[in-house]
């Protein structure tokens, strides 16, 4: 079993910054892609950013130039630096990781519990 624990959410004024962290623990042989998703009230969950094990990165267009995703493979941790925050960034942010528990077999997707980010205007 794998647990993802997120931290770093909170309330910030428009134009401010926050840094989210997500640490994975448990039975882990390798973590493939890691990423951040968000879900605003009344909306579907959407991808924000992903980073592969080799460092290939993908962002949703609305955060390009403002958010930066990174990971520390030694710590099984992914980060999301969010700058120039806007009220429309308000959402619950979820961490996701695709984990290979053993050297052979299947990989599985795991989710964190979510952390609230609120941006006031």
């Amino acid at each position: 079993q794998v647990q993802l624990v997120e931290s770093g959410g909170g309330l910030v004024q428009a134009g401010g910054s926050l840094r989210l962290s997500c640490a994975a623990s448990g039975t882990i042989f390798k973590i493939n892609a890691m990423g951040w998703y968000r879900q605003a009230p009344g909306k579907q969950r959407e991808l924000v950013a992903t980073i592969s094990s080799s460092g290939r990165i993908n962002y949703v267009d609305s955060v390009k130039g403002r958010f930066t995703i990174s990971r520390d493979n030694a710590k099984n941790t992914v980060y999301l630096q969010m700058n120039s925050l806007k009220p429309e960034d308000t959402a619950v942010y979820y961490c996701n990781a695709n984990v290979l528990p053993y050297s052979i077999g299947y990989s599985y997707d795991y989710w964190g519990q979510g952390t609230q980010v609120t941006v006031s205007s």
Side-chain angles (χ1 to χ4, degrees), residues 89-112:
D89 294 318
T90 295
V92 177
Y93 284 69
Y94 296 92
C95 171
N96 171 266
N98 184 263
V99 178
L100 189 63
Y102 306 102
S103 59
I104 59 173
Y106 297 103
S107 63
Y108 301 90
D109 273 337
Y110 293 92
W111 292 89

Side-chain angles (χ1 to χ4, degrees), residues 24 28-35 50-56 69 71-73 76-78 96-102 105-110:
I28 299 171
F29 174 75
K30 179 185 178 183
I31 301 178
N32 297 316
M34 301 185 81
T50 59
I51 182 168
S52 72
S53 58
S54 61
R56 186 173 68 248
I69 190 171
R71 63 190 283 175
D72 184 333
N73 291 329
N76 290 334
T77 299
V78 63
N96 171 266
N98 184 263
V99 178
L100 189 63
Y102 306 102
Y106 297 103
S107 63
Y108 301 90
D109 273 337
Y110 293 92

